[in-house]
Coordinates of all heavy atoms in Angstrom, one line a residue:
T228 N -3.7 -18.4 34.8 CA -2.4 -18.4 35.5 C -1.6 -17.2 35.2 O -1.0 -16.6 36.1 CB -1.6 -19.7 35.2 OG1 -2.4 -20.8 35.5 CG2 -0.3 -19.8 35.9
T229 N -1.5 -16.9 33.9 CA -0.7 -15.7 33.5 C -1.3 -14.4 34.1 O -0.6 -13.5 34.5 CB -0.7 -15.6 32.0 OG1 -0.2 -16.9 31.5 CG2 0.2 -14.5 31.5
L230 N -2.6 -14.3 34.1 CA -3.3 -13.1 34.6 C -3.0 -12.9 36.1 O -2.6 -11.8 36.6 CB -4.8 -13.1 34.4 CG -5.6 -12.0 35.0 CD1 -5.2 -10.7 34.3 CD2 -7.1 -12.3 34.8
V231 N -3.1 -14.0 36.8 CA -2.9 -14.0 38.3 C -1.4 -13.7 38.6 O -1.1 -12.8 39.5 CB -3.3 -15.3 38.9 CG1 -2.9 -15.3 40.4 CG2 -4.8 -15.5 38.8
R232 N -0.5 -14.3 37.9 CA 0.9 -14.0 38.1 C 1.3 -12.6 37.8 O 2.0 -11.9 38.5 CB 1.8 -15.0 37.4 CG 1.8 -16.4 38.0 CD 2.8 -17.3 37.4 NE 2.8 -18.5 38.2 CZ 3.4 -19.6 37.7 NH1 3.9 -19.7 36.5 NH2 3.4 -20.7 38.5
T233 N 0.7 -12.1 36.7 CA 1.0 -10.7 36.3 C 0.4 -9.7 37.3 O 1.1 -8.8 37.7 CB 0.4 -10.4 34.9 OG1 0.9 -11.3 34.0 CG2 0.7 -9.0 34.5
L234 N -0.8 -9.9 37.8 CA -1.4 -9.1 38.8 C -0.6 -9.1 40.1 O -0.4 -8.1 40.7 CB -2.9 -9.5 39.1 CG -3.6 -8.7 40.0 CD1 -3.8 -7.3 39.5 CD2 -5.0 -9.3 40.3
A235 N -0.2 -10.3 40.5 CA 0.6 -10.4 41.7 C 2.0 -9.7 41.6 O 2.4 -9.0 42.5 CB 0.9 -11.9 42.0
R236 N 2.6 -9.8 40.4 CA 3.9 -9.1 40.2 C 3.7 -7.6 40.2 O 4.5 -6.9 40.8 CB 4.4 -9.5 38.8 CG 5.9 -9.0 38.6 CD 6.5 -9.5 37.3 NE 6.4 -10.9 37.1 CZ 5.9 -11.5 36.0 NH1 5.3 -10.8 35.1 NH2 5.8 -12.8 35.9
V237 N 2.6 -7.1 39.6 CA 2.3 -5.7 39.7 C 2.1 -5.2 41.1 O 2.6 -4.1 41.5 CB 1.1 -5.3 38.8 CG1 0.6 -3.9 39.0 CG2 1.4 -5.5 37.3
L238 N 1.5 -6.0 41.9 CA 1.2 -5.6 43.3 C 2.4 -5.9 44.2 O 2.3 -5.7 45.4 CB -0.1 -6.3 43.8 CG -1.3 -5.9 43.1 CD1 -2.5 -6.7 43.5 CD2 -1.6 -4.4 43.3
G239 N 3.4 -6.6 43.7 CA 4.6 -7.0 44.5 C 4.3 -8.1 45.5 O 4.9 -8.1 46.6
L240 N 3.5 -9.1 45.1 CA 3.1 -10.2 45.9 C 3.8 -11.5 45.4 O 4.1 -11.6 44.3 CB 1.6 -10.4 45.9 CG 0.7 -9.2 46.3 CD1 -0.7 -9.6 46.1 CD2 1.0 -8.9 47.7
E241 N 4.1 -12.4 46.4 CA 4.7 -13.7 46.1 C 3.6 -14.6 45.6 O 2.5 -14.7 46.1 CB 5.3 -14.2 47.3 CG 6.0 -15.6 47.1 CD 6.5 -16.2 48.4 OE1 6.3 -15.6 49.5 OE2 7.1 -17.2 48.3
T242 N 3.9 -15.4 44.5 CA 3.0 -16.3 44.0 C 3.6 -17.7 44.0 O 4.8 -17.9 43.7 CB 2.7 -16.0 42.5 OG1 2.9 -14.7 42.2 CG2 1.3 -16.4 42.1
K243 N 2.7 -18.7 44.2 CA 3.1 -20.1 44.1 C 1.9 -20.9 43.5 O 0.8 -20.4 43.5 CB 3.4 -20.7 45.5 CG 4.7 -20.2 46.1 CD 5.0 -20.9 47.3 CE 6.3 -20.3 47.9 NZ 6.6 -20.8 49.2
R244 N 2.2 -22.0 42.9 CA 1.2 -22.8 42.2 C 1.2 -24.2 42.6 O 2.3 -24.8 42.8 CB 1.4 -22.8 40.7 CG 0.5 -23.5 39.8 CD 0.8 -23.4 38.3 NE 0.0 -24.2 37.5 CZ 0.2 -25.5 37.3 NH1 1.2 -26.1 37.8 NH2 -0.7 -26.1 36.5
V245 N 0.1 -24.9 42.8 CA 0.0 -26.3 43.3 C -0.9 -27.0 42.2 O -2.0 -26.6 41.9 CB -0.7 -26.4 44.6 CG1 -0.9 -27.9 45.0 CG2 0.1 -25.7 45.7
Q246 N -0.3 -28.1 41.7 CA -1.0 -29.0 40.8 C -1.6 -30.1 41.6 O -0.8 -30.9 42.1 CB -0.1 -29.5 39.7 CG -0.7 -30.5 38.8 CD -1.7 -29.8 37.8 OE1 -1.4 -28.8 37.3 NE2 -2.8 -30.5 37.6
F247 N -2.9 -30.2 41.8 CA -3.5 -31.2 42.6 C -3.5 -32.5 41.8 O -4.0 -32.5 40.7 CB -4.9 -30.8 43.1 CG -4.9 -29.9 44.3 CD1 -4.7 -28.6 44.1 CD2 -5.1 -30.4 45.5 CE1 -4.7 -27.7 45.2 CE2 -5.1 -29.6 46.6 CZ -4.9 -28.2 46.5
T248 N -3.0 -33.6 42.5 CA -3.1 -34.9 41.9 C -3.6 -35.9 43.0 O -3.7 -35.5 44.1 CB -1.7 -35.4 41.4 OG1 -0.8 -35.4 42.5 CG2 -1.1 -34.5 40.3
N249 N -3.9 -37.1 42.6 CA -4.4 -38.1 43.5 C -3.4 -38.5 44.5 O -3.7 -39.2 45.5 CB -5.0 -39.2 42.8 CG -4.1 -39.9 41.9 OD1 -3.0 -39.5 41.8 ND2 -4.6 -41.0 41.3
D250 N -2.1 -38.3 44.3 CA -1.1 -38.7 45.3 C -0.5 -37.5 46.2 O 0.4 -37.7 46.9 CB 0.1 -39.4 44.6 CG 0.8 -38.5 43.6 OD1 0.2 -37.5 43.2 OD2 1.9 -38.8 43.2
L251 N -1.1 -36.3 46.0 CA -0.7 -35.2 46.8 C -1.2 -35.3 48.3 O -2.4 -35.6 48.5 CB -1.3 -33.9 46.2 CG -0.7 -32.6 46.7 CD1 0.7 -32.4 46.2 CD2 -1.6 -31.4 46.1
L252 N -0.4 -35.1 49.2 CA -0.7 -35.2 50.6 C -0.9 -33.8 51.2 O -0.4 -32.8 50.7 CB 0.4 -35.9 51.4 CG 0.7 -37.4 51.0 CD1 1.9 -37.9 51.7 CD2 -0.5 -38.2 51.2
P253 N -1.7 -33.7 52.3 CA -1.9 -32.4 53.0 C -0.6 -31.8 53.4 O -0.4 -30.6 53.3 CB -2.7 -32.8 54.2 CG -3.5 -34.0 53.8 CD -2.6 -34.8 53.0
A254 N 0.4 -32.6 53.8 CA 1.7 -32.0 54.2 C 2.4 -31.4 53.0 O 3.3 -30.5 53.2 CB 2.6 -33.1 54.8
D255 N 2.1 -31.9 51.8 CA 2.8 -31.3 50.6 C 2.3 -29.8 50.4 O 3.0 -29.1 49.8 CB 2.4 -32.1 49.4 CG 3.0 -33.5 49.4 OD1 4.1 -33.7 50.1 OD2 2.4 -34.4 48.8
I256 N 1.1 -29.5 50.9 CA 0.6 -28.2 50.7 C 0.8 -27.3 52.0 O 1.2 -26.2 51.9 CB -1.0 -28.3 50.5 CG1 -1.2 -29.0 49.2 CG2 -1.6 -26.9 50.5 CD1 -2.7 -29.2 48.9
L257 N 0.6 -27.9 53.1 CA 0.7 -27.1 54.4 C 2.1 -27.0 54.9 O 2.5 -26.0 55.5 CB -0.2 -27.8 55.5 CG -1.6 -27.9 55.1 CD1 -2.3 -28.7 56.2 CD2 -2.3 -26.6 54.8
G258 N 3.0 -28.0 54.7 CA 4.3 -28.0 55.2 C 4.4 -29.1 56.3 O 3.4 -29.7 56.7
T259 N 5.6 -29.3 56.8 CA 5.8 -30.3 57.8 C 7.0 -29.9 58.7 O 7.9 -29.2 58.3 CB 6.1 -31.7 57.1 OG1 6.1 -32.7 58.1 CG2 7.3 -31.7 56.3
A260 N 7.0 -30.5 59.8 CA 8.2 -30.4 60.8 C 9.1 -31.6 60.6 O 8.7 -32.7 60.7 CB 7.7 -30.3 62.2
I261 N 10.4 -31.3 60.4 CA 11.4 -32.3 60.2 C 12.4 -32.2 61.3 O 12.9 -31.1 61.7 CB 12.1 -32.2 58.8 CG1 11.0 -32.3 57.7 CG2 13.2 -33.2 58.7 CD1 11.6 -32.1 56.3
F262 N 12.8 -33.3 61.9 CA 13.7 -33.4 63.0 C 15.1 -33.1 62.6 O 15.6 -33.8 61.6 CB 13.6 -34.7 63.8 CG 14.4 -34.7 65.1 CD1 14.0 -34.0 66.2 CD2 15.6 -35.4 65.1 CE1 14.7 -34.0 67.3 CE2 16.3 -35.5 66.3 CZ 15.8 -34.7 67.4
D263 N 15.8 -32.2 63.2 CA 17.2 -31.8 62.9 C 18.0 -32.5 64.0 O 18.0 -32.1 65.1 CB 17.4 -30.3 62.8 CG 18.8 -29.9 62.5 OD1 19.6 -30.8 62.0 OD2 19.1 -28.7 62.7
H264 N 18.8 -33.5 63.6 CA 19.6 -34.2 64.6 C 20.7 -33.3 65.2 O 21.1 -33.5 66.3 CB 20.3 -35.5 63.9 CG 19.3 -36.5 63.6 ND1 18.7 -37.3 64.6 CD2 18.7 -36.9 62.5 CE1 17.9 -38.1 64.1 NE2 17.8 -37.9 62.8
G265 N 21.2 -32.4 64.4 CA 22.3 -31.5 64.9 C 21.8 -30.6 66.0 O 22.5 -30.4 67.0
N266 N 20.7 -30.0 65.9 CA 20.1 -29.1 66.9 C 19.2 -29.8 67.9 O 18.8 -29.2 68.9 CB 19.4 -28.0 66.3 CG 20.3 -27.1 65.5 OD1 21.4 -27.0 65.7 ND2 19.7 -26.5 64.4
Q267 N 18.9 -31.1 67.6 CA 18.0 -31.9 68.5 C 16.6 -31.2 68.7 O 16.0 -31.2 69.7 CB 18.6 -32.1 69.9 CG 19.8 -33.0 69.8 CD 19.5 -34.4 69.3 OE1 18.6 -35.1 69.9 NE2 20.2 -34.9 68.4
K268 N 16.1 -30.6 67.5 CA 14.8 -30.1 67.6 C 14.1 -30.1 66.2 O 14.8 -30.4 65.2 CB 14.8 -28.7 68.1 CG 15.5 -27.7 67.4 CD 15.5 -26.3 68.0 CE 16.4 -25.3 67.4 NZ 16.3 -24.0 68.0
F269 N 12.8 -29.9 66.2 CA 12.1 -29.9 64.9 C 12.1 -28.6 64.2 O 12.0 -27.5 64.9 CB 10.6 -30.3 65.2 CG 10.4 -31.8 65.5 CD1 10.4 -32.2 66.8 CD2 10.3 -32.7 64.5 CE1 10.2 -33.6 67.1 CE2 10.1 -34.0 64.7 CZ 10.1 -34.5 66.0
L270 N 12.3 -28.6 62.9 CA 12.3 -27.4 62.1 C 11.2 -27.4 61.2 O 10.9 -28.5 60.5 CB 13.6 -27.3 61.3 CG 14.9 -27.1 62.1 CD1 16.1 -27.1 61.2 CD2 14.9 -25.9 63.0
F271 N 10.4 -26.4 61.1 CA 9.2 -26.3 60.2 C 9.6 -25.9 58.8 O 10.3 -24.9 58.7 CB 8.2 -25.4 60.8 CG 6.9 -25.3 60.0 CD1 6.1 -26.4 59.8 CD2 6.7 -24.1 59.3 CE1 5.0 -26.3 59.0 CE2 5.5 -24.0 58.5 CZ 4.7 -25.1 58.4
H272 N 9.2 -26.7 57.9 CA 9.4 -26.3 56.5 C 8.0 -26.0 55.9 O 7.2 -26.9 55.6 CB 10.1 -27.5 55.7 CG 11.5 -27.8 56.2 ND1 12.5 -27.2 55.6 CD2 11.9 -28.6 57.1 CE1 13.6 -27.6 56.2 NE2 13.3 -28.5 57.1
P273 N 7.8 -24.7 55.6 CA 6.4 -24.3 55.1 C 6.2 -24.8 53.7 O 7.1 -24.9 52.9 CB 6.5 -22.8 55.2 CG 7.9 -22.5 55.2 CD 8.7 -23.6 55.8
G274 N 4.9 -25.1 53.5 CA 4.5 -25.5 52.2 C 4.1 -24.3 51.3 O 4.2 -23.2 51.8
P275 N 3.6 -24.6 50.2 CA 3.2 -23.5 49.3 C 2.0 -22.6 49.7 O 1.8 -21.5 49.2 CB 2.9 -24.2 47.9 CG 2.6 -25.6 48.3 CD 3.4 -25.9 49.5
V276 N 1.3 -23.1 50.7 CA 0.1 -22.3 51.2 C 0.6 -21.0 51.9 O -0.2 -20.1 52.0 CB -0.8 -23.2 52.1 CG1 -0.2 -23.3 53.5 CG2 -2.2 -22.6 52.2
F277 N 1.9 -21.0 52.3 CA 2.4 -19.8 52.9 C 2.9 -18.9 51.9 O 4.1 -18.7 51.7 CB 3.5 -20.2 53.9 CG 3.0 -21.0 55.1 CD1 3.0 -22.3 55.1 CD2 2.5 -20.3 56.2 CE1 2.6 -23.0 56.2 CE2 2.1 -21.0 57.3 CZ 2.1 -22.3 57.3
T278 N 2.0 -18.2 51.2 CA 2.4 -17.3 50.1 C 1.2 -16.2 50.1 O 0.2 -16.4 50.7 CB 2.5 -18.0 48.8 OG1 3.0 -17.0 47.8 CG2 1.2 -18.6 48.3
N279 N 1.4 -15.2 49.3 CA 0.4 -14.2 49.2 C -0.7 -14.6 48.2 O -1.9 -14.4 48.5 CB 1.0 -12.9 48.7 CG 2.0 -12.3 49.6 OD1 3.2 -12.2 49.3 ND2 1.6 -11.9 50.8
V280 N -0.3 -15.2 47.1 CA -1.3 -15.6 46.1 C -0.9 -17.1 45.7 O 0.2 -17.4 45.3 CB -1.2 -14.8 44.8 CG1 -2.2 -15.3 43.8 CG2 -1.5 -13.3 45.1
L281 N -1.9 -18.0 45.9 CA -1.7 -19.4 45.6 C -2.6 -19.8 44.5 O -3.8 -19.6 44.6 CB -1.9 -20.3 46.9 CG -1.8 -21.8 46.7 CD1 -0.3 -22.1 46.3 CD2 -2.2 -22.5 47.9
I282 N -2.1 -20.3 43.4 CA -2.9 -20.8 42.3 C -3.0 -22.3 42.5 O -2.0 -23.1 42.5 CB -2.2 -20.6 41.0 CG1 -1.9 -19.1 40.8 CG2 -3.0 -21.1 39.8 CD1 -1.0 -18.7 39.7
A283 N -4.3 -22.8 42.7 CA -4.6 -24.2 42.9 C -5.2 -24.7 41.7 O -6.3 -24.4 41.3 CB -5.5 -24.4 44.1
D284 N -4.4 -25.6 41.0 CA -4.9 -26.1 39.7 C -5.5 -27.5 39.9 O -4.9 -28.4 40.5 CB -3.7 -26.2 38.7 CG -4.1 -26.4 37.3 OD1 -5.3 -26.2 37.0 OD2 -3.3 -26.8 36.5
E285 N -6.7 -27.7 39.4 CA -7.5 -28.9 39.4 C -7.7 -29.5 40.8 O -7.3 -30.6 41.1 CB -6.8 -30.0 38.5 CG -6.7 -29.6 37.1 CD -6.1 -30.6 36.2 OE1 -6.0 -31.8 36.6 OE2 -5.7 -30.3 35.0
L286 N -8.2 -28.6 41.6 CA -8.5 -29.0 43.1 C -9.3 -30.2 43.2 O -9.1 -31.0 44.1 CB -9.2 -27.8 43.7 CG -9.5 -28.0 45.2 CD1 -8.3 -28.2 46.1 CD2 -10.3 -26.8 45.7
N287 N -10.2 -30.5 42.3 CA -11.1 -31.6 42.4 C -10.3 -33.0 42.2 O -10.9 -34.0 42.5 CB -12.2 -31.5 41.3 CG -11.7 -31.5 39.9 OD1 -10.7 -30.9 39.7 ND2 -12.5 -32.1 39.0
R288 N -9.1 -33.0 41.7 CA -8.3 -34.2 41.5 C -7.6 -34.6 42.8 O -7.2 -35.8 42.9 CB -7.3 -34.0 40.4 CG -8.0 -33.8 39.0 CD -7.0 -33.8 37.9 NE -6.4 -35.2 37.8 CZ -5.2 -35.4 37.3 NH1 -4.5 -34.4 36.8 NH2 -4.7 -36.6 37.2
G289 N -7.5 -33.8 43.8 CA -6.9 -34.1 45.0 C -7.8 -35.0 45.9 O -9.0 -35.2 45.7
T290 N -7.1 -35.7 46.8 CA -7.9 -36.6 47.7 C -8.7 -35.8 48.7 O -8.5 -34.6 48.9 CB -6.9 -37.5 48.6 OG1 -6.1 -36.6 49.4 CG2 -6.0 -38.3 47.7
P291 N -9.8 -36.3 49.2 CA -10.6 -35.6 50.2 C -9.8 -35.0 51.3 O -10.1 -33.8 51.7 CB -11.6 -36.6 50.6 CG -11.7 -37.6 49.5 CD -10.3 -37.7 49.0
R292 N -8.9 -35.7 51.9 CA -8.1 -35.1 53.0 C -7.3 -33.9 52.6 O -7.2 -32.9 53.3 CB -7.1 -36.2 53.5 CG -7.8 -37.2 54.4 CD -6.8 -38.3 54.9 NE -5.6 -37.7 55.5 CZ -4.4 -38.2 55.4 NH1 -4.2 -39.4 54.9 NH2 -3.4 -37.6 56.0
T293 N -6.7 -34.0 51.4 CA -5.9 -32.9 50.9 C -6.8 -31.7 50.6 O -6.5 -30.5 50.9 CB -5.1 -33.3 49.6 OG1 -4.4 -34.5 49.9 CG2 -4.2 -32.2 49.1
Q294 N -7.9 -31.9 49.9 CA -8.9 -30.8 49.7 C -9.3 -30.2 51.0 O -9.4 -29.0 51.1 CB -10.1 -31.4 48.9 CG -9.8 -31.7 47.5 CD -11.0 -32.3 46.8 OE1 -12.2 -32.0 47.2 NE2 -10.9 -33.0 45.7
S295 N -9.6 -31.0 51.9 CA -10.1 -30.5 53.2 C -9.1 -29.6 53.9 O -9.4 -28.6 54.4 CB -10.5 -31.7 54.1 OG -10.9 -31.2 55.4
A296 N -7.8 -30.1 53.9 CA -6.7 -29.3 54.5 C -6.6 -28.0 53.8 O -6.4 -26.9 54.5 CB -5.5 -30.1 54.5
F297 N -6.6 -28.0 52.5 CA -6.5 -26.8 51.7 C -7.6 -25.8 52.0 O -7.4 -24.6 52.2 CB -6.4 -27.1 50.2 CG -6.3 -25.9 49.3 CD1 -5.1 -25.2 49.3 CD2 -7.3 -25.6 48.5 CE1 -5.0 -24.1 48.5 CE2 -7.2 -24.5 47.7 CZ -6.1 -23.7 47.7
L298 N -8.9 -26.3 51.9 CA -10.0 -25.4 52.1 C -10.1 -24.9 53.6 O -10.5 -23.8 53.8 CB -11.3 -26.2 51.7 CG -11.4 -26.6 50.3 CD1 -12.6 -27.5 50.0 CD2 -11.5 -25.3 49.4
Q299 N -9.7 -25.7 54.5 CA -9.6 -25.3 55.9 C -8.6 -24.1 56.1 O -8.9 -23.1 56.8 CB -9.3 -26.4 56.9 CG -9.3 -26.0 58.3 CD -8.9 -27.1 59.2 OE1 -8.7 -28.3 58.8 NE2 -8.9 -26.9 60.5
A300 N -7.5 -24.2 55.5 CA -6.5 -23.2 55.5 C -7.0 -21.9 54.9 O -6.8 -20.8 55.4 CB -5.2 -23.6 54.9
M301 N -7.7 -22.0 53.8 CA -8.3 -20.9 53.1 C -9.4 -20.2 54.0 O -9.4 -19.0 54.1 CB -9.0 -21.3 51.8 CG -8.0 -21.5 50.7 SD -8.9 -22.0 49.2 CE -10.1 -20.8 49.0
E302 N -10.2 -21.0 54.6 CA -11.3 -20.5 55.4 C -10.8 -19.8 56.7 O -11.2 -18.7 57.1 CB -12.3 -21.6 55.8 CG -13.5 -21.0 56.6 CD -14.5 -22.1 57.0 OE1 -14.3 -23.3 56.5 OE2 -15.4 -21.9 57.8
E303 N -9.9 -20.5 57.4 CA -9.5 -20.0 58.7 C -8.3 -19.0 58.6 O -8.0 -18.4 59.6 CB -9.1 -21.2 59.6 CG -10.2 -22.1 59.9 CD -9.8 -23.3 60.8 OE1 -8.6 -23.4 61.1 OE2 -10.7 -24.1 61.1
R304 N -7.6 -19.0 57.5 CA -6.5 -18.1 57.3 C -5.4 -18.4 58.2 O -4.6 -17.5 58.6 CB -6.9 -16.6 57.3 CG -7.8 -16.2 56.2 CD -8.1 -14.8 56.2 NE -9.0 -14.4 55.2 CZ -9.2 -13.2 54.8 NH1 -8.6 -12.2 55.4 NH2 -10.0 -13.0 53.8
R305 N -5.3 -19.7 58.6 CA -4.2 -20.1 59.5 C -4.1 -21.6 59.3 O -5.0 -22.3 58.8 CB -4.4 -19.8 61.0 CG -5.6 -20.5 61.6 CD -5.8 -20.1 63.0 NE -5.9 -18.7 63.0 CZ -6.6 -17.9 63.9 NH1 -7.1 -18.5 64.9 NH2 -6.7 -16.6 63.8
V306 N -2.9 -22.2 59.7 CA -2.6 -23.6 59.5 C -2.3 -24.2 60.9 O -1.5 -23.6 61.6 CB -1.4 -23.8 58.6 CG1 -1.0 -25.2 58.5 CG2 -1.8 -23.3 57.2
S307 N -2.9 -25.3 61.2 CA -2.6 -26.0 62.4 C -2.1 -27.4 62.0 O -2.6 -28.1 61.2 CB -3.9 -26.2 63.3 OG -4.9 -26.8 62.6
L308 N -0.9 -27.7 62.5 CA -0.2 -28.9 62.2 C 0.2 -29.7 63.5 O 0.2 -29.1 64.6 CB 1.1 -28.7 61.5 CG 0.9 -28.0 60.1 CD1 2.3 -27.6 59.6 CD2 0.3 -28.9 59.2
D309 N 0.4 -30.9 63.4 CA 0.8 -31.8 64.5 C -0.2 -31.8 65.6 O -0.1 -31.8 66.7 CB 2.2 -31.5 65.0 CG 3.3 -31.6 64.0 OD1 3.1 -32.4 63.1 OD2 4.3 -31.0 64.1

């Protein structure tokens, strides 16, 4: 973690870290759209996957759905929601 964060800092990249647990949902990683009553439209709140360098700790502890969403975002380099 320290090595990756230091390398990212030297290169000027944004870093985020995700601790995978059995209660982590795909939306916690990818982000979600939340309805704003004032504007009467949905606003997207990006998850930690929207960063330059993402540190995923203990990926094997996440649920299959969460692992699948994370690995799909890594492979395709894009996120599809809703």
